[in-house]
Amino acid sequence: MALRCGIVGLPNVGKSTLFNCLSNAKAQAANFPFCTIEPNVGVITVPDERLNRLAELVKPQRVFPTTVEIVDIAGLVKGASKGEGLGNKFLANIRETDAILHVLRCFEDENVTHVDDTIDPVRDKEIIDTELQLKDLETIETRISKVEKQARTGGDKEAKLLYEVYSKIQEALLRGESARTVPFDTKDEKKAANDLYLLTSKPVMYVCNVEESSAVTGNRHVEAVKEAIKNEDAQILIVAAKIESEIAEFETYEERTLFLNEIGLDESGVNRLIKAAYRLLNLQTFFTCGIQEVRAWTFQKGWKAPQCAGVIHTDFEKGFIRAEVIKYEDYISYGTENAVKEAGKMSVEGK
């Protein structure tokens, strides 16, 4: 499954520094706006201790983890929805992603300029929210104009449904609220809303970029962001991008672990971010194990067994009859597939 998260934010909030920590691809990290001229794409491995443990037991020829694509998009500015800065091009890049990682500057540093001169992450969040909402409003108004006449005067049920869905979203956007906040009652309404591919309907995580001393506890800027998003269906994560860039320089796991322990962290912010992005996309993992390969497969939470089989190969979904399933804990406990079978811990699951 080709899944993409887009990193957005104002210029100089730490987007490209964070991207560099996430990926082997190297975005230019410079102290001036628009230094990222083309969107940078990195394929990020999702850390999963279960996959490592399975590989230790099976000792396969190859190991395949799950991945998520991260797209670093140039800093947006006020007026981006009207083409200011590099707005239109990069708003299109955001539209192609499945979720948004919104980086907010929550650190003070007089050596790193801010486009508005002062540090206020809530204001910065609102600037980008507004630009995305304005772009979505353009989309909605165009759609409404196409179905309004049929919905009001004709007997077209589909046009009526679309008009009602579009109008609900339009009202929310005019109130300064994102499309993701609009509730829908039926599957048809939800499908009509999803088919719009609106920027503000995408799941979002606010990544608060803090200084080293606030990496564990956060700071007043983070608290302000928490208060601002308390009514949103959104996640928040605290990361010190500068620390993450230092961690990335260590060559061994032991060095990284020692450094993290010294500053009071159990896990790097990068790992936490990747895992959180995976959850943000409502994803889960199942594994296949054999001497040739141990592989992690991605599926959407709530899928049935045939759909999961289709992730491996489309023919598996079409011809699905049943699947032999082992719980991860049982595999770890008994050590081999044969041992699990002998213990009666393998189950056969139908559609």
Side-chain angles (χ1 to χ4, degrees):
M1 299 174 69
L3 297 155
R4 293 182 132 202
C5 291
I7 300 181
V8 305
L10 292 179
N12 292 347
V13 297
K15 299 186 318 305
S16 294
T17 301
L18 190 59
F19 176 84
N20 289 344
C21 299
L22 286 165
S23 171
N24 288 328
K26 293 297 179 182
Q28 182 186 0
N31 185 22
F32 57 91
F34 310 126
C35 63
T36 309
I37 304 302
E38 293 296 333
N40 293 269
V41 181
V43 179
I44 312 301
T45 297
V46 179
D48 196 323
E49 294 77 11
R50 297 171 300 170
L51 182 68
N52 299 334
R53 187 74 183 98
L54 289 170
E56 288 173 5
L57 287 174
V58 178
K59 295 180 172 55
Q61 296 172 14
R62 296 171 297 177
V63 178
F64 293 97
T66 54
T67 60
V68 174
E69 283 189 6
I70 305 291
V71 185
D72 179 27
I73 297 166
L76 295 171
V77 294
K78 190 180 294 185
S81 61
K82 302 299 181 183
E84 291 295 323
L86 298 171
N88 285 331
K89 183 174 182 179
F90 294 106
L91 286 168
N93 293 141
I94 297 170
R95 197 177 300 279
E96 295 171 3
T97 64
D98 300 293
I100 293 173
L101 307 178
H102 187 161
V103 181
L104 296 169
R105 178 171 171 176
C106 295
F107 66 90
E108 307 275 352
D109 188 340
E110 60 184 19
N111 295 317
V112 180
T113 60
H114 189 289
V115 290
D116 287 321
D117 296 326
T118 57
I119 308 304
D120 185 343
V122 174
R123 174 203 60 206
D124 296 351
K125 167 196 171 304
E126 290 172 351
I127 288 173
I128 289 189
D129 282 352
T130 298
E131 296 307 320
L132 300 183
Q133 289 162 7
L134 288 172
K135 201 65 180 176
D136 280 350
L137 194 57
E138 287 181 19
T139 300
I140 283 292
E141 288 173 347
T142 299
R143 294 295 186 98
I144 284 178
S145 66
K146 290 180 179 179
V147 301
E148 184 172 12
K149 186 175 181 181
Q150 291 172 289
R152 289 183 182 278
T153 61
D156 191 329
K157 291 184 178 179
E158 183 180 358
K160 190 174 186 300
L161 172 74
L162 294 176
Y163 180 73
E164 289 175 355
V165 169
Y166 297 166
S167 295
K168 281 185 182 180
I169 296 173
Q170 182 188 42
E171 290 169 7
L173 293 170
L174 288 171
R175 291 195 301 268
E177 299 172 2
S178 296
R180 76 179 73 87
T181 65
V182 182
F184 295 106
D185 300 322
T186 68
K187 288 183 179 179
D188 288 339
E189 288 178 338
K190 290 175 182 177
K191 184 180 184 305
N194 291 337
D195 286 347
L196 291 166
Y197 296 100
L198 296 175
L199 300 170
T200 64
S201 67
K202 299 178 187 295
V204 63
M205 181 194 305
Y206 294 102
V207 182
C208 294
N209 184 14
V210 301
E211 67 278 0
E212 180 177 342
S213 60
S214 303
V216 177
T217 59
N219 56 29
R220 63 184 179 87
H221 295 306
V222 173
E223 293 305 313
V225 173
K226 287 180 179 178
E227 178 65 22
I229 70 167
K230 65 182 181 182
N231 295 323
E232 289 189 34
D233 183 16
Q235 298 182 31
I236 189 170
L237 188 73
I238 301 172
V239 170
K242 190 174 181 181
I243 289 178
E244 298 302 318
S245 63
E246 294 175 13
I247 293 171
E249 297 298 321
F250 292 120
E251 295 184 1
T252 68
Y253 173 79
E254 289 73 20
E255 287 177 318
R256 290 192 293 272
T257 301
L258 181 61
F259 181 80
L260 286 168
N261 290 339
E262 286 178 353
I263 60 177
L265 291 174
D266 297 325
E267 188 176 24
S268 74
V270 163
N271 277 11
R272 288 186 289 112
L273 177 59
I274 297 169
K275 291 178 180 179
Y278 198 67
R279 293 192 299 272
L280 184 67
L281 291 167
N282 205 28
L283 302 178
Q284 291 183 305
T285 305
F286 69 90
F287 306 95
T288 53
C289 298
I291 195 63
Q292 289 188 331
E293 67 175 44
V294 169
R295 185 186 290 259
W297 303 89
T298 299
F299 68 99
Q300 290 282 347
K301 187 176 181 181
W303 278 9
K304 302 295 185 183
Q307 291 172 287
C308 293
V311 174
I312 300 174
H313 197 289
T314 52
D315 288 347
F316 291 174
E317 181 174 5
K318 294 174 185 175
F320 185 89
I321 299 173
R322 62 182 180 273
E324 293 180 330
V325 178
I326 300 172
K327 292 182 179 179
Y328 168 77
E329 292 79 8
D330 289 336
Y331 199 107
I332 296 302
S333 177
Y334 290 96
T336 68
E337 184 176 328
N338 286 335
V340 172
K341 286 181 179 178
E342 291 172 3
K345 294 293 185 178
M346 177 183 283
S347 63
V348 177
E349 305 292 342
K351 294 182 179 180

